[in-house]
Amino acid sequence: MNSEFIIAVHSLVLLAHRPDGMASSEEIASNVCTNPVRVRKVMSCLRKNGFVDTREGSGGGYRLSREPSDVTLADVYQALAAGSLAPGWCSGDPQSDCMVGSNMAEVMNAVFCGADQQLEMYLQSITIGQMLSSIAAKARS
């Protein structure tokens, strides 16, 4: 899982929480505890994928373009982080004479692909709206 996914989910939940639904990258970054440049990069991807709209100028920023109950964490994962469970490197050498060394990368790839599919199925059951409800319940307790 990469940090962009976490920034995206946090940002979308924050926008869903705001009464006017609008926040600047600086406001989001402050709430997420990261740099506004990182937020803008993530929000650009969210805009391209239809999750947020932007408004320029004073009082501008980002606004949700979909209902929080219609956006699943799987949607966000697919837009920003799909396949991120797989490592960039795997042990072994496909040209090796050793049965283990020559097949490890392919077998591990299947493991990570299966894990990624399971993760997406789980994330499909959670919406941005549910995340906001969970946070509100936690704040009340």
Side-chain angles (χ1 to χ4, degrees):
M1 190 66 63
N2 66 31
S3 61
E4 290 181 348
F5 173 77
I6 295 166
I7 293 168
V9 171
H10 189 132
S11 300
L12 293 172
V13 173
L14 177 64
L15 293 175
H17 171 66
R18 306 275 324 263
D20 63 353
M22 181 73 67
S24 69
S25 57
E26 289 79 12
E27 292 169 316
I28 295 169
S30 176
N31 196 272
V32 174
C33 299
T34 192
N35 188 297
V37 173
R38 289 187 76 199
V39 168
R40 285 191 287 275
K41 178 182 174 196
V42 169
M43 298 306 280
S44 174
C45 185
L46 291 175
R47 186 177 50 78
K48 287 177 192 169
N49 284 279
F51 296 105
V52 298
D53 293 318
T54 57
R55 187 171 69 189
E56 300 292 325
S58 179
Y62 300 94
R63 178 190 304 265
L64 278 176
S65 58
R66 294 169 56 183
E67 287 296 316
S69 60
D70 293 338
V71 178
T72 69
L73 297 191
D75 297 330
V76 179
Y77 180 74
Q78 289 165 358
L80 287 151
S84 64
L85 292 182
W89 173 86
C90 193
S91 60
D93 176 4
Q95 305 304 315
S96 171
D97 290 333
C98 175
M99 176 184 77
V100 175
S102 64
N103 292 292
M104 184 57 72
E106 189 174 333
V107 172
M108 287 303 295
N109 186 53
V111 168
F112 285 111
C113 285
D116 199 58
Q117 290 171 348
Q118 291 294 314
L119 176 61
E120 281 195 46
M121 286 182 1
Y122 174 69
L123 294 176
Q124 189 66 39
S125 69
I126 305 167
T127 68
I128 294 298
Q130 289 169 324
M131 294 284 293
L132 181 56
S133 294
S134 294
I135 289 167
K138 185 86 172 149
R140 284 190 300 270
S141 64

